[in-house]
Amino acid sequence: MFSTLMVRVGEVLLPGDEFSCETDDTISLTDHVKPEKVVCGPGLRRSGDRLVVCKSGVLRHKQPNVFWIDSQQRRYVPAKGETVIGIVTTKSGDIFKVDFGGSEQASLSYLAFEGATKRNRPNVQVGDLVFAQFIIANKDMEPELVCIDSSGRANGMGVFGGGGLLFRVSLGLVRRLLSPHSEIRSDLDQLFTCELVVGMNGRLWVRSSSVQQTLIIANLLQSCDTMTAPQRRELFRRVKQGAL
Amino acid sequence: MQLSTIPPRSYVISKSPSAAKQMTSSTLDRLLFLHGGGVMEVCGSSSVTLREFGCEQSLLSRPDGSASFIQGDTSVLAGVYGPAEVKVSKEIYDRATLEVLIQPKVGLPSVRERSQEQCVRETCEASLLLSLHPRSSLTLILQVLHDDGSLLSCFLNAACMALMDAGLPMSCLFCGVTCAIDTDGQIITDPTAAQEKESRALMTFAIDSTERRVLMSSTKGSFSVHELQQCIAVSQKASEKIFQFYRDSVRRRYSKTL
């Protein structure tokens, strides 16, 4: 199965495409036989001994044996461990309800902030933005967010300060921004200095020295969605020369 | 927007129209059913012709997935919202609730739209993996832009492209093919409104992409068992072209991120 998958890495696949796992009829008795393992990411499903594609997109591979489908979608489906930007919608007793753009609201305990105790409550108001990560995210349970990591540190998470601008982009662009050697990010670095928070749910938050610059960055990032790499470089070059 | 050109259509079935009126199944029919498990074989000329079709994905900014599908002069716009929050009264504990709304070009949706909604909804439910998003709602809105025949098949095609654009998990794709049988017994695939009016029988099939099986059928008029099987066979043949078009269309969409 590994080799059949490897051949099609980088191709566009559609739901219903299948990979069958053909086992060898002969087993070598002398060689050490290692069982083939394939880890399926989003968009791939196991069905019996076959692998079925269930989303349209590009097949991607990561060493050693991880495969997934890279698709462009707008609606976020929570996954454990992902960091998102949420909006606090209600405050009831000791939990906050947070809207993160999914199918239901997530809960966020008031104790899940750095340094919070029963005495010392965090200052969170309805309407505030929070940067948090999922500790529970599965289809059968209510999603739960926390603003601390496993060692109890904020690690960049928590309530947002004043200023800045929140806007939405596609989930595909967010993943491209967060990839280790993102070209978009390095292009943007050369252009303006800014503070950028990227939520996996397609929400971006930007703050820079002036309102005008913030708006330019927001517009640039939103237009990156529909541009190829050369088009983007051309646009960034023009902005750098002061076209806007 | 992508268009595929296909030569002018003409399609003849091998039976005479007088014999076709009998509603009996012959040995030939049984053979047709046995052949190749589900996929039937066309007898007679083997070229299936469809009108020009075109498609554009994610053209609307607000919905989670959208597509427009054009077959000849028939044009439909589809939008998908979801998985989103669901009303308590419509919540299903182990799968998503799918709602299909068809908006006619003028006026309010009537009985005809209701029946088409049901056809589309049942086809989508068969191909979507709804159990992966329990207690959520999916809404599919289909807006007629222009009706020039084969409207139901255009709805199905637009729905499939929009669901794919929204990134919802699907076990397979589906497409719709409309066949009309005219008074001479000729099968016309993808008929125009004028051809539909003159036809003796009109059938629409939804066909899945993995095994070319019939997911849904909607028929009108009188026809023999043999004619029905011929129409299914023709639709299955036509579906290959549509699925190839889907693939080309999606490939173009992802060409920027390859």
Side-chain angles (χ1 to χ4, degrees):
Chain A
M1 188 182 286
F2 187 80
S3 55
T4 53
L5 273 162
M6 267 319 270
V7 172
R8 305 194 66 179
V9 168
E11 272 184 52
V12 175
L13 298 179
L14 265 61
D17 288 354
E18 281 183 358
F19 295 99
S20 60
C21 144
E22 66 274 1
T23 46
D24 288 334
D25 291 335
T26 53
I27 300 169
S28 165
L29 292 172
T30 48
D31 287 345
H32 176 66
V33 183
K34 228 172 127 186
E36 254 187 358
K37 269 188 190 167
V38 173
V39 180
C40 305
L44 292 171
R45 276 174 67 80
R46 266 176 211 282
S47 159
D49 59 345
R50 291 162 307 149
L51 208 58
V52 186
V53 177
C54 66
K55 273 180 193 173
S56 70
V58 187
L59 183 68
R60 302 277 190 212
H61 168 62
K62 191 186 170 192
Q63 286 297 338
N65 55 5
V66 186
F67 291 92
W68 75 98
I69 298 282
D70 193 9
S71 64
Q72 297 268 342
Q73 61 185 66
R74 292 217 189 96
R75 178 68 67 157
Y76 178 68
V77 178
K80 193 180 168 183
E82 288 187 346
T83 47
V84 294
I85 300 177
I87 303 168
V88 178
T89 53
T90 49
K91 221 167 127 177
S92 56
D94 48 3
I95 60 160
F96 306 111
K97 286 282 175 198
V98 178
D99 167 49
F100 61 91
S103 64
E104 57 186 321
Q105 301 205 332
S107 62
L108 173 64
S109 167
Y110 77 98
L111 289 171
F113 289 85
E114 191 186 42
T117 55
K118 285 211 161 186
R119 280 270 184 84
N120 180 19
R121 282 181 168 246
N123 182 23
V124 182
Q125 303 301 324
V126 170
D128 277 358
L129 295 179
V130 288
F131 189 59
Q133 73 169 342
F134 282 104
I135 53 160
I136 296 177
N138 76 49
K139 64 186 171 77
D140 301 309
M141 288 166 76
E142 186 192 29
E144 188 176 341
L145 290 165
V146 288
C147 290
I148 45 172
D149 62 8
S150 53
S151 58
R153 296 267 159 233
N155 203 0
M157 287 180 283
V159 185
F160 281 67
L165 177 71
L166 182 79
F167 59 97
R168 263 188 71 188
V169 293
S170 83
L171 300 184
L173 181 69
V174 162
R175 284 195 292 266
R176 274 194 284 161
L177 276 169
L178 287 175
S179 66
H181 303 288
S182 167
E183 282 183 27
I184 305 176
R185 220 172 50 206
S186 59
D187 285 356
L188 198 67
D189 271 345
Q190 292 166 8
L191 212 61
F192 297 118
T193 50
C194 64
E195 213 180 327
L196 180 68
V197 181
V198 185
M200 284 294 283
N201 55 347
R203 287 182 181 155
L204 299 184
W205 181 90
V206 181
R207 185 167 64 185
S208 67
S209 54
S210 70
V211 174
Q212 196 193 8
Q213 241 178 49
T214 307
L215 286 169
I216 292 171
I217 295 166
N219 284 331
L220 281 177
L221 285 170
Q222 275 177 321
S223 57
C224 278
D225 244 342
T226 51
M227 280 192 294
T228 57
Q231 282 174 328
R232 187 188 65 233
R233 276 194 285 273
E234 171 66 20
L235 179 70
F236 277 52
R237 196 181 54 79
R238 271 175 40 217
V239 174
K240 202 170 187 180
Q241 286 169 357
L244 283 172
Chain B
M1 191 75 58
Q2 193 183 356
L3 292 169
S4 78
T5 351
I6 286 150
R9 80 198 89 141
S10 75
Y11 190 79
V12 188
I13 61 162
S14 60
K15 248 184 181 175
S16 66
S18 58
K21 293 222 171 75
Q22 302 163 354
M23 290 289 281
T24 53
S25 73
S26 65
T27 46
L28 179 68
D29 295 337
R30 249 166 267 139
L31 276 174
L32 281 170
F33 262 126
L34 286 171
H35 186 89
V39 179
M40 295 192 215
E41 202 148 272
V42 191
C43 45
S45 121
S46 59
S47 71
V48 180
T49 52
L50 301 163
R51 289 181 284 182
E52 274 187 347
F53 39 80
C55 173
E56 190 178 354
Q57 275 185 313
S58 54
L59 66 162
L60 302 177
S61 62
R62 299 296 294 170
D64 298 310
S66 56
S68 76
F69 206 90
I70 299 163
Q71 284 174 244
D73 288 333
T74 307
S75 162
V76 168
L77 190 61
V80 177
Y81 296 85
E85 224 157 329
V86 65
K87 270 192 218 160
V88 180
S89 61
K90 286 182 180 170
E91 189 178 280
I92 308 173
Y93 70 93
D94 62 346
R95 63 193 168 95
T97 313
L98 177 67
E99 204 176 352
V100 177
L101 299 167
I102 289 178
Q103 302 290 343
K105 199 171 166 188
V106 281
L108 292 168
S110 61
V111 179
R112 179 166 166 262
E113 277 77 28
R114 287 267 175 277
S115 91
Q116 286 171 334
E117 276 171 16
Q118 195 182 349
C119 289
V120 176
R121 182 165 51 81
E122 280 168 6
T123 311
C124 294
E125 277 174 354
S127 88
L128 283 167
L129 297 162
L130 292 173
S131 59
L132 293 183
H133 296 289
R135 302 175 318 282
S136 57
S137 90
L138 301 176
T139 312
L140 169 65
I141 297 167
L142 293 157
Q143 169 71 53
V144 183
L145 296 180
H146 189 74
D147 178 11
D148 186 32
S150 316
L151 188 63
L152 185 54
S153 61
C154 198
F155 279 146
L156 289 163
N157 294 333
C160 184
M161 289 309 260
L163 292 174
M164 223 189 326
D165 184 47
L168 295 168
M170 293 165 98
S171 60
C172 59
L173 298 177
F174 58 89
C175 74
V177 185
T178 301
C179 298
I181 304 175
D182 67 9
T183 43
D184 306 333
Q186 279 195 328
I187 295 175
I188 304 164
T189 47
D190 200 14
T192 60
Q195 284 168 324
E196 273 186 5
K197 203 170 264 177
E198 286 167 13
S199 68
R200 165 161 62 89
L202 194 67
M203 310 170 199
T204 303
F205 303 104
I207 300 193
D208 82 317
S209 67
T210 48
E211 287 168 310
R212 306 277 184 270
R213 292 229 171 110
V214 178
L215 292 174
M216 185 279 299
S217 86
S218 161
T219 60
K220 205 170 95 179
S222 65
F223 47 83
S224 72
V225 173
H226 180 72
E227 279 175 322
L228 175 70
Q229 287 167 346
Q230 278 299 301
C231 285
I232 293 175
V234 170
S235 306
Q236 284 172 335
K237 219 166 162 51
S239 73
E240 281 167 30
K241 278 184 182 169
I242 299 173
F243 289 131
Q244 190 54 48
F245 173 76
Y246 281 0
R247 198 169 283 276
D248 295 341
S249 184
V250 173
R251 196 170 286 155
R252 272 177 78 101
R253 196 194 151 206
Y254 282 100
S255 59
K256 283 177 188 170
T257 52
L258 275 178

